[in-house]
Amino acid sequence: MNLTDWLGYIESTHPSTIDLTLERIRIVLERLNLNVSFPIISVGGTNGKGSTCSILESIYKEAGYKVACYTSPHFLHFNERIKIQGVAVSDELICEAFSKIESAREEVTLTYFEYGTIAAMIIFSEANVDVAVLEVGLGGRLDAVNFFDADCAVVTTVDLDHMDYLGHTREAIGFEKAGIYRTEKIAIFGDLDPPQSLIKHCESINANLKIIGKDFGYKTHHDSFDFLIESSFVLNVPMPKLQGDFQLANATNALMAVTAMEDKLPLTELSIQKGISLALLPGRFQEVKKMPSLIFDVAHNPQAARSLSHNLKAHAISGKTIAVFSILKDKDILGVITALNFDINDWFIAEIQNERAASIETISNAIQKINPSAHIKSFKNIQEAYQFASNEVTRNDRIIVFGSFFTVADIMKLIS
């Protein structure tokens, strides 16, 4: 089977897209007798996971290490999830890994994400990588990535998202995210407001918790920032190429992680500085075109939407802003729209082609609830919404495509 066939087959083998447990993956990995000998940095959190992984990957790559990176979801090709030296691995390697998993799993059903996670670890093991950066898919405690013990773990932020699976409070979600921390290992938390559940969990397992703003942090200058540990200067680094003030926190979390791993993976100041300056990630306030501006942002929860709002204000334009917007029905749609209500002049909405998609009626009602006089246009799909918006804008306007990875991916495919 080719990769497309494999992915279609994998999607059909487990009745649920999300099924949080480590038991199935444990059985299959024991049968595979997979030997994971390389250091692991795990990155969880509500927002900022992908950016933090990208910065870590870039730093270790610039330092000359053979670095592996596993992230999700992907935009255009499944291979984007599994990278070595910043390059997506081939279809052939993924298909070989899937074949090994299929032979080993027998009666055990695996989710799409579990297949991908195991495949990534097979590929990384066979490639003899020096370090692997693993992005947690959902939550932490019961996520497939958490089967693998991290030498250092980062939780970037804790906010309300995936509440049907993780709980309806920051305390409940914080406990789930903290599940990636390990006994006597450095546990990094990159949010100024740590949930008590996360702190208590670290105490119960004797993890070495380091909290941004308390144990480490940053001080900004015009075009650089200082990395600080316990208020003491460690080094000066250039501003991240990734846009937004919140990226400073992501970069600082990454710097704390590489500091924690210094004994196993020593670095020079130059590789750290170069790595941060070169790290890029699609779909995070990514300006694809100028005059008129086209921006992609995967913001799909209130915290990410507030960051997007901040970025839009920081990059003010003289014209209007059109949102090409769609979102999944299990997200806090009202919270996302509230965060961006004063930043958007026109809402062009459509339904994502996904079983979890919010309907046009749901999206429209939510916008009208927040702003009864909002200007809303509905379209049969997100591509049509974008094409209409493209004909509406003048050179001083901008289009912001956001609300979901699926929303952004549909327009990426259209213009690529």
Side-chain angles (χ1 to χ4, degrees):
M1 291 196 289
N2 62 29
L3 183 54
T4 302
D5 294 335
W6 267 113
L7 294 173
Y9 169 72
I10 287 166
E11 284 182 323
S12 70
T13 59
H14 193 78
S16 303
T17 306
I18 299 168
D19 187 1
L20 297 177
T21 175
L22 297 182
E23 185 58 24
R24 292 188 307 275
I25 195 170
R26 180 188 64 77
I27 294 168
V28 175
L29 283 164
E30 284 177 356
R31 290 174 182 171
L32 283 165
N33 194 28
L34 185 63
N35 178 33
V36 175
S37 57
F38 45 82
I40 290 172
I41 302 174
S42 293
V43 183
T46 305
N47 295 301
K49 297 188 296 289
S51 297
T52 304
C53 288
S54 178
I55 293 166
L56 286 166
E57 176 188 39
S58 184
I59 289 171
Y60 284 122
K61 181 169 171 281
E62 290 305 316
Y65 290 107
K66 190 174 187 180
V67 56
C69 193
Y70 174 60
T71 57
S72 63
H74 61 273
F75 284 110
L76 304 179
H77 306 288
F78 182 87
N79 314 55
E80 295 167 28
R81 296 174 179 233
I82 307 173
K83 292 183 291 179
I84 297 175
Q85 296 300 80
V87 178
V89 301
S90 67
D91 287 12
E92 290 74 21
L93 278 178
I94 298 171
C95 290
E96 285 173 19
F98 282 160
S99 182
K100 289 171 184 173
I101 297 165
E102 187 65 13
S103 297
R105 74 172 184 87
E106 298 174 8
E107 80 291 351
V108 179
T109 59
L110 295 171
T111 65
Y112 185 93
F113 184 76
E114 288 165 345
Y115 260 102
T117 304
I118 299 171
M121 297 306 277
I122 289 172
I123 292 166
F124 296 161
S125 296
E126 292 177 351
N128 293 314
V129 300
D130 295 317
V131 57
V133 179
L134 308 181
E135 180 184 351
V136 174
L138 195 156
R141 184 174 63 92
L142 297 176
D143 185 85
V145 164
N146 198 39
F147 181 85
F148 303 96
D149 290 329
D151 296 88
C152 172
V154 181
V155 174
T156 53
T157 61
V158 171
D159 204 62
L160 302 180
D161 199 5
H162 299 294
M163 292 180 285
D164 290 347
Y165 299 98
L166 305 179
H168 289 78
T169 65
R170 281 188 84 242
E171 289 297 326
I173 294 169
F175 173 74
E176 294 296 329
K177 303 284 187 192
I180 67 172
Y181 294 144
R182 291 296 188 269
T183 298
E184 296 181 354
K185 302 289 187 183
I186 289 195
I188 297 165
F189 186 64
D191 193 320
L192 293 171
D193 182 21
Q196 285 301 306
S197 58
L198 182 142
I199 294 171
K200 288 177 181 175
H201 178 70
C202 286
E203 289 172 350
S204 72
I205 65 169
N206 197 29
N208 187 1
L209 179 61
K210 302 291 184 183
I211 301 170
I212 198 169
K214 176 176 175 282
D215 303 297
F216 68 100
Y218 61 89
K219 179 183 178 182
T220 59
H221 302 290
H222 173 62
D223 56 359
S224 66
F225 70 100
D226 295 338
F227 173 51
L228 312 172
I229 295 180
E230 294 178 348
S231 301
S232 296
F233 174 84
V234 179
L235 78 160
N236 177 264
V237 287
M239 289 293 188
K241 190 172 281 189
L242 293 160
Q243 293 288 320
D245 289 351
F246 61 95
Q247 296 294 359
L248 282 168
N250 292 331
T252 304
N253 293 332
L255 288 171
M256 191 66 221
V258 298
T259 302
M261 298 292 287
E262 184 72 22
D263 287 349
K264 292 186 177 183
L265 300 161
L267 298 165
T268 64
E269 284 192 14
L270 183 61
S271 60
I272 294 171
Q273 291 164 337
K274 197 171 178 184
I276 285 180
S277 69
L278 292 175
L280 277 174
L281 193 63
R284 277 68 169 187
F285 204 76
Q286 177 189 2
E287 188 169 36
V288 183
K289 296 179 183 178
K290 293 180 183 290
M291 302 190 77
S293 175
L294 171 61
I295 294 167
F296 291 157
D297 200 298
V298 297
H300 56 267
N301 56 53
Q303 186 182 51
R306 289 191 293 272
S307 293
L308 173 55
S309 172
H310 181 83
N311 273 337
L312 291 171
K313 290 180 176 70
H315 296 80
I317 57 166
S318 59
K320 65 181 177 180
T321 296
I322 296 177
V324 174
F325 176 66
S326 194
I327 195 166
L328 300 178
K329 63 186 176 185
D330 54 4
K331 300 299 177 183
D332 181 357
I333 302 173
L334 286 173
V336 169
I337 292 165
T338 299
L340 288 150
N341 179 40
F342 297 108
D343 302 296
I344 290 167
N345 301 102
D346 301 320
W347 294 85
F348 289 9
I349 63 172
E351 186 173 318
I352 301 167
Q353 302 305 303
N354 185 279
E355 61 184 19
R356 292 163 57 207
S359 67
I360 287 178
E361 184 181 17
T362 297
I363 297 169
S364 180
N365 288 345
I367 296 169
Q368 288 176 317
K369 185 172 182 178
I370 302 303
N371 181 2
S373 61
H375 184 219
I376 306 166
K377 288 186 179 180
S378 302
F379 298 87
K380 65 181 180 182
N381 57 53
I382 208 72
Q383 294 94 333
E384 188 180 273
Y386 169 73
Q387 287 167 331
F388 195 92
S390 298
N391 293 326
E392 287 273 296
V393 289
T394 63
R395 67 195 311 270
N396 294 320
D397 298 333
R398 70 180 161 202
I399 300 169
I400 169 73
V401 179
F402 82 102
S404 169
F405 276 84
F406 298 107
T407 309
V408 172
D410 279 347
I411 307 308
M412 279 186 176
K413 290 171 191 169
L414 186 68
I415 68 173
S416 61

